[in-house]
Amino acid sequence: MFPLDLLSGAEPSASPDSPLLAHLNEEQLAAVTLSAGHALILAGAGSGKTRVLTTRIAWLLQTGQATPAGILAVTFTNKAAKEMSARLSAMLPVNVRGMWIGTFHGLCNRLLRAHHQAAGLPQSFQILDTQDQLSAVKRLCKQHNVDEERFPPKQLQYFIAGCKEEGQRPGDVAVSDPDTRRKVEFYQLYEEQCQREGVVDFGELMLRSYELLRDQPHLRAHYQRRFQHILVDEFQDTNRLQYAWLKQLAGDEVEGRMQAHGSVIAVGDDDQSIYAFRGARVGNMADFVREFDVQRQIKLEQNYRSFSNILDSANALISHNSRRLGKNLRTTQGPGEPVRVYEAHTDLAEAQWIVEEIRQLVKNDGFERQEIAILYRSNAQSRVIETALFNAAVPYRVYGGLRFFERAEIKHALAYLRLLENPHDDTSFMRAVNFPPRGIGARSIELLQDAARSSGCSLSDAVTAVPGKAGANLGAFVAKIEVLREQTQGKNLRQIIEAVLDASGLIEHYRNEKEGADRIENLQELVNAGESFVTQEGFGRDAVALPLDEHGQALRQSPVSQGLDPSLPVLDEVLPVLQPQGGIVDIDTGETLSPLVAFLTHAALEAGDNQAQAGQDAVQLMTVHASKGLEFDAVFIGGMEEGLFPHENAMNDSGGLEEERRLMYVAITRARKRLYLSHSQTRMLHGQTRFHIKSRFFDELPESALKWITPKQQGFGTFMPQGGGGYGSAGYGGGRGQGGWGGKTETFASPPVPPQKAAPGHGLSAGTAVFHNKFGEGKVLAIEGTGDDARAQVNFPRHGTKWLALAIAKLTIVD
DNA sequence: ACTATCCGCATTTTT
DNA sequence: TGCGGATAGT
């Protein structure tokens, strides 16, 4: 099967001065060239972590220690996953598609689609994002007359998500009090609802695929054998379930020790663990070392980002934390400028000082605006700063707004699209049924829900049971969807979306709305998104789900593998296949996910870009959390006050202060050249002026690296309370979350576009009658893609409409 | 069904 | 202070 001998014994064949390894420092080199076995890499801020990770993969491939199919690299964000793929393909002429590089949720999705039957899901299951989940919870609350005072939907949602993150099904939750019992009951009901509707939430994606691996020995064996090299990014941010999931893939646990097949490399930084509040467990690092019997720990402490005054400050600060694995950043750069500290009288004066400093930086020191960031602990702090920037006509951009796929108008359009795919998706039904308004009010909905409940069916199916005018309106809506479904048969994604926008009346509705122009523009952008999703290079590629025997061995090879780069050794089993729409191909039947389902999945899993767009010439405003992983020439951290930073709410639970300190550590280490800290004696908070003393973190910084700036004696002019703040929400930089979705500039070279093969003479076109071994006779509705990508949408009278990969499906033309 | 108004609430957030 | 959600009024 795979070359075991290569993995266990043989020395790497690449010479140490291979160009791949050039310019790596000693610790980086050690990490990159680790021989087989588990390892923990403590990667300090700015230590070249991503570089090490990607070079490691490249080195494994180049030295023949691994094949693309044997690698699993998992990250938290799509951005990180994309960056890894991009850098990798810039390094090696490697087929990135063969590798499983993605987010936890993205990879879980892939597993579940490929093995949907074993996982007990429809292949086209839809994914609920946090908004969808909340509306599903609310709907369920209403249906079961839950006292929403005692059990706020938000809290129930939080409870459910929390349980899943801990790997707990309703039956696993320890019930200590009546309230918890009620919540667990609700959790149970929620699960049943999701299952009935064929939808999964983010937590479910993780939990379900964990259970899949846990409960299906042959699948587990298969993937364990396949993934000889597992690499985990930001390991300090993993929650309990994610770690458990990784363990399933890595090997079997015997008496608390992992009997692993390949090797697991966990990369993380305990000092940058700032997500405990959402279930991240730094303790996973220690558990990993113990359970995997990790022999190698490498610290990446050489920092390539900041001058030493900044670094010294970070080191000194974080040394006040007790529970640390221990790490100290160093640099070969000089001290640089001192860290400037400013004490303002009011929050407004603080903001004005920041703005003034920024103007100086740009004017006198040649700093680029997009290389300057203003960081704060909580979003509310941005307001004053925005005002000041706006008044000074300094372009800026705020992060943290709604992302593309989260916008209301987009969610509405997606709801229609989802209903086309699955009429029983009640969440989407509820969203679409009366938007745009079509005379279906709360009363009608209530009747419908009652009907659905009493007959145990979906809202869509219950429509016929509603009498009178309400029933007629509802019937018209369902009919409209059905007609639309008919009409879009055989249409491509772009045409489907256009049809939905038209038939739903969404465009029409927004045309009549005074603020609707932006929304229409976004809806147009959705059409483009659909278009590029199918056409463009660079979207998620997925795997062929091969039939496996009871030992997890593949029963058959994928014929598609023959079309791939022959120079790369290919593992048996699950092989990559070109599926621009990111589909999964069932090798038995050739069935692929419809482009629409793939697109909807993409929309749920990747809400759109929120991150920096290069060359925007705008000062960057964001929370400290949002700044993690980024770097800037100059960084301002405002609101350095007791109660704000460290935040008062964080001081309750144990470890709260330490997490705040790590947060501050993250903030400091974002800066390359200049760091400015400021605090204000007075601050408008919740409508009241509050007095704050300066943050204790100042006392933890080295006096020698700081330079205190006292405010100049100012006249009243500077202290003027803001009168009539009648500026629009759109700031100079375009306001929050401006169009990040399509056509962004890539920081790294995009993967080489493989030459398009000429379409093989499959001789199919719309209308052709074909025969399939399993599905019988059918009629071709549409063809998409070329070469190995080509797939046909075929309507089988008995099995419905399916997308089939022509490279795999055995279709014969019937005359 | 849509708008006006009032009340309560206010770290951090990716998938 | 300023927002979102829920309610009451047309």
Side-chain angles (χ1 to χ4, degrees):
Chain A
M1 283 287 124
F2 58 84
L4 234 193
D5 47 327
L6 261 180
L7 294 173
S8 46
E11 280 303 306
S13 55
S15 65
D17 45 45
S18 147
L20 209 57
L21 305 180
H23 308 301
L24 291 176
N25 69 33
E26 209 172 310
E27 42 198 37
Q28 289 175 329
L29 186 70
V32 165
T33 59
L34 275 168
S35 52
H38 310 305
L40 177 68
I41 299 176
L42 277 175
S47 63
K49 174 195 70 171
T50 309
R51 179 155 188 233
V52 165
L53 221 43
T54 47
T55 314
R56 162 90 183 156
I57 297 174
W59 180 80
L60 285 171
L61 295 172
Q62 202 181 54
T63 55
Q65 296 179 81
T67 60
I71 285 172
L72 180 118
V74 58
T75 65
F76 274 88
T77 64
N78 291 301
K79 192 183 169 227
K82 270 188 204 161
E83 180 169 327
M84 216 188 278
S85 302
R87 282 169 80 156
L88 197 54
S89 43
M91 242 179 248
L92 264 192
V94 69
N95 188 353
V96 188
R97 331 167 209 260
M99 284 177 270
W100 280 38
I101 298 179
T103 64
F104 277 101
H105 293 85
L107 297 179
C108 286
N109 171 60
R110 199 181 278 195
L111 275 170
L112 292 178
R113 301 270 180 208
H115 307 289
H116 63 100
Q117 247 165 353
L121 289 169
Q123 195 195 20
S124 62
F125 66 82
Q126 287 302 315
I127 299 166
L128 300 184
D129 67 14
T130 317
Q131 287 178 43
D132 299 330
Q133 190 189 24
L134 184 61
S135 39
V137 165
K138 281 182 178 165
R139 189 154 44 81
L140 198 60
C141 280
K142 296 252 160 51
Q143 201 173 121
H144 291 274
N145 300 313
V146 173
D147 180 359
E148 296 188 22
E149 294 281 274
R150 261 172 69 109
F151 301 100
K154 275 252 171 60
Q155 203 184 299
L156 290 168
Q157 180 190 24
Y158 180 78
F159 175 79
I160 292 169
C163 289
K164 292 189 181 184
E165 275 167 11
E166 291 287 305
Q168 295 178 322
R169 290 295 179 191
D172 306 323
V173 184
V175 176
S176 47
D177 56 301
D179 268 27
T180 310
R181 195 175 52 81
R182 288 295 310 276
K183 286 192 212 166
V184 172
E185 283 166 9
F186 186 87
Y187 177 15
Q188 177 70 42
L189 290 169
Y190 171 81
E191 294 232 290
E192 287 161 10
Q193 174 177 272
C194 288
Q195 188 63 28
R196 209 167 41 238
E197 297 176 12
V199 296
V200 299
D201 59 43
F202 287 137
E204 188 69 23
L205 227 34
M206 276 308 311
L207 183 51
R208 195 67 81 101
S209 72
Y210 162 74
E211 289 169 345
L212 177 76
L213 294 167
R214 184 195 62 191
D215 301 338
Q216 308 273 341
H218 69 292
L219 280 181
R220 187 172 66 244
H222 169 81
Y223 286 105
Q224 286 178 354
R225 211 173 19 244
R226 177 179 172 178
F227 297 125
Q228 290 299 304
H229 296 276
I230 297 176
L231 301 99
V232 194
D233 192 18
E234 306 278 19
F235 190 75
Q236 79 283 351
D237 287 339
T238 52
N239 62 35
R240 210 175 223 111
L241 178 58
Q242 286 158 339
Y243 179 50
W245 182 88
L246 283 166
K247 287 203 281 186
Q248 290 294 336
L249 284 170
D252 292 332
E253 197 170 354
V254 181
E255 289 166 14
R257 284 278 182 279
M258 289 300 298
Q259 313 288 312
H261 289 246
S263 66
V264 179
I265 306 239
V267 183
D269 182 358
D270 56 325
D271 290 334
Q272 290 189 73
S273 157
I274 55 172
Y275 286 113
F277 72 92
R278 67 176 195 210
R281 256 187 106 248
V282 215
N284 284 348
M285 295 180 96
D287 288 359
F288 172 63
V289 171
R290 191 180 65 251
E291 292 171 348
F292 283 74
D293 193 24
V294 171
Q295 298 299 316
R296 254 87 51 84
Q297 294 193 37
I298 293 177
K299 291 179 186 175
L300 305 180
E301 297 176 297
Q302 176 78 36
N303 175 289
Y304 294 98
R305 183 181 292 161
S306 318
F307 283 99
S308 71
N309 274 334
I310 294 168
L311 232 42
D312 291 348
S313 301
N315 283 331
L317 179 93
I318 203 65
S319 72
H320 287 81
N321 271 2
S322 50
R323 293 181 290 264
R324 291 181 66 213
L325 297 173
K327 197 167 38 43
N328 219 31
L329 297 176
R330 51 167 200 277
T331 180
T332 53
Q333 298 197 63
E337 295 282 319
V339 176
R340 309 238 154 100
V341 184
Y342 183 79
E343 175 176 31
H345 192 244
T346 67
D347 48 353
L348 182 64
E350 180 194 28
Q352 287 171 336
W353 171 75
I354 292 174
V355 171
E356 192 43 42
E357 288 292 330
I358 288 175
R359 293 170 60 125
Q360 302 279 328
L361 282 176
V362 173
K363 209 170 102 198
N364 303 337
D365 303 304
F367 280 65
E368 289 181 79
R369 265 186 279 266
Q370 70 266 26
E371 283 301 337
I372 302 174
I374 306 175
L375 310 182
Y376 34 79
R377 174 66 240 266
S378 63
N379 285 304
Q381 288 169 253
S382 76
R383 176 161 243 97
V384 219
I385 300 170
E386 284 187 68
T387 314
L389 286 164
F390 187 87
N391 290 338
V394 176
Y396 67 93
R397 201 199 135 102
V398 187
Y399 290 95
L402 275 188
R403 281 127 75 203
F404 183 74
F405 285 113
E406 290 168 351
R407 290 159 187 270
E409 63 276 20
I410 300 300
K411 295 286 283 183
H412 281 125
L414 292 175
Y416 282 90
L417 290 168
R418 278 155 72 146
L419 282 178
L420 290 189
E421 197 54 49
N422 172 14
H424 310 303
D425 180 345
D426 287 353
T427 303
S428 298
F429 187 97
M430 288 289 282
R431 185 181 268 278
V433 70
N434 197 35
F435 196 93
R438 46 175 75 87
I440 298 172
R443 185 78 201 112
S444 305
I445 297 296
E446 219 168 282
L447 286 171
L448 180 65
Q449 283 180 321
D450 287 346
R453 189 175 353 157
S454 58
S455 46
C457 64
S458 68
L459 295 173
S460 177
D461 283 346
V463 159
T464 48
V466 180
K469 189 161 167 281
N473 282 342
L474 286 163
F477 171 70
V478 171
K480 185 182 233 132
I481 298 293
E482 275 166 10
V483 167
L484 197 54
R485 190 177 300 122
E486 268 319 299
Q487 283 173 345
T488 50
Q489 288 287 313
K491 296 281 200 298
N492 67 33
L493 192 50
R494 182 198 179 94
Q495 293 166 322
I496 296 174
I497 298 172
E498 280 173 339
V500 158
L501 293 187
D502 186 46
S504 65
L506 280 171
I507 297 267
E508 183 60 26
H509 172 80
Y510 288 122
R511 225 194 293 282
N512 299 326
E513 206 176 65
K514 43 188 188 302
E515 309 267 319
D518 281 354
R519 297 191 185 270
I520 291 176
E521 206 172 298
N522 284 330
L523 289 171
Q524 300 298 350
E525 189 56 34
L526 183 67
V527 176
N528 296 338
E531 174 84 1
S532 50
F533 183 71
V534 181
T535 3
Q536 242 179 37
E537 198 52 36
F539 279 104
R541 254 141 205 104
D542 275 309
V544 180
L546 289 179
L548 307 174
D549 67 13
E550 69 274 20
H551 307 295
Q553 300 286 351
L555 289 173
R556 215 147 11 89
Q557 290 250 330
S558 161
V560 182
S561 63
Q562 277 126 42
L564 291 176
D565 187 346
S567 69
L568 299 169
V570 177
L571 276 189
D572 59 337
E573 312 164 354
V574 181
L575 293 163
V577 64
L578 293 128
Q579 283 296 321
Q581 79 279 44
I584 296 276
V585 184
D586 184 321
I587 193 136
D588 245 351
T589 60
E591 187 177 353
T592 77
L593 229 43
S594 84
L596 178 55
V597 173
F599 181 64
L600 291 172
T601 301
H602 169 77
L605 250 29
E606 205 171 333
D609 237 340
N610 210 358
Q611 289 293 328
Q613 286 174 302
Q616 256 222 344
D617 188 37
V619 175
Q620 319 275 322
L621 271 67
M622 68 194 84
T623 63
V624 178
H625 281 95
S627 75
K628 192 175 156 205
L630 305 176
E631 55 182 277
F632 306 92
D633 283 339
V635 168
F636 290 80
I637 309 172
M640 293 290 308
E641 295 134 40
E642 280 297 301
L644 244 192
F645 203 1
H647 200 282
E648 49 198 358
N649 296 2
M651 307 295 278
N652 311 325
D653 54 297
S654 70
L657 176 62
E658 296 216 346
E659 179 146 321
E660 292 293 298
R661 195 175 280 115
R662 290 193 293 268
L663 202 47
M664 183 62 193
Y665 175 79
V666 167
I668 293 174
T669 52
R670 297 311 95 197
R672 292 193 197 102
K673 300 177 184 156
R674 304 273 187 121
L675 178 63
Y676 298 81
L677 311 176
S678 58
H679 68 103
S680 169
Q681 296 163 351
T682 332
R683 183 173 297 273
M684 195 60 127
L685 216 59
H686 310 327
Q688 252 151 17
T689 304
R690 289 185 29 172
F691 294 83
H692 292 279
I693 58 167
K694 67 174 199 283
S695 172
R696 72 188 68 189
F697 294 150
F698 283 118
D699 306 331
E700 303 175 357
L701 300 176
E703 207 41 61
S704 60
L706 306 183
K707 180 177 176 184
W708 293 78
I709 298 168
T710 18
K712 293 184 209 92
Q713 207 53 44
Q714 345 206 358
F716 259 78
T718 7
F719 287 107
M720 284 290 273
Q722 61 263 61
Y727 56 95
S729 69
Y732 257 75
R736 276 161 210 272
Q738 264 285 309
W741 204 77
K744 1 166 219 282
T745 18
E746 292 281 81
T747 322
F748 298 95
S750 36
V753 182
Q756 279 285 2
K757 270 180 243 157
H762 49 58
L764 296 181
S765 57
T768 312
V770 290
F771 181 82
H772 185 281
N773 283 342
K774 199 155 171 180
F775 303 134
E777 247 181 71
K779 199 168 138 195
V780 175
L781 296 170
I783 306 278
E784 248 180 43
T786 52
D788 281 344
D789 279 349
R791 57 209 168 272
Q793 192 188 31
V794 185
N795 181 260
F796 297 100
R798 274 210 244 142
H799 297 89
T801 304
K802 302 195 175 296
W803 282 90
L804 303 173
L806 294 180
I808 294 174
K810 297 167 200 72
L811 287 177
T812 44
I813 296 174
V814 184
D815 24 34

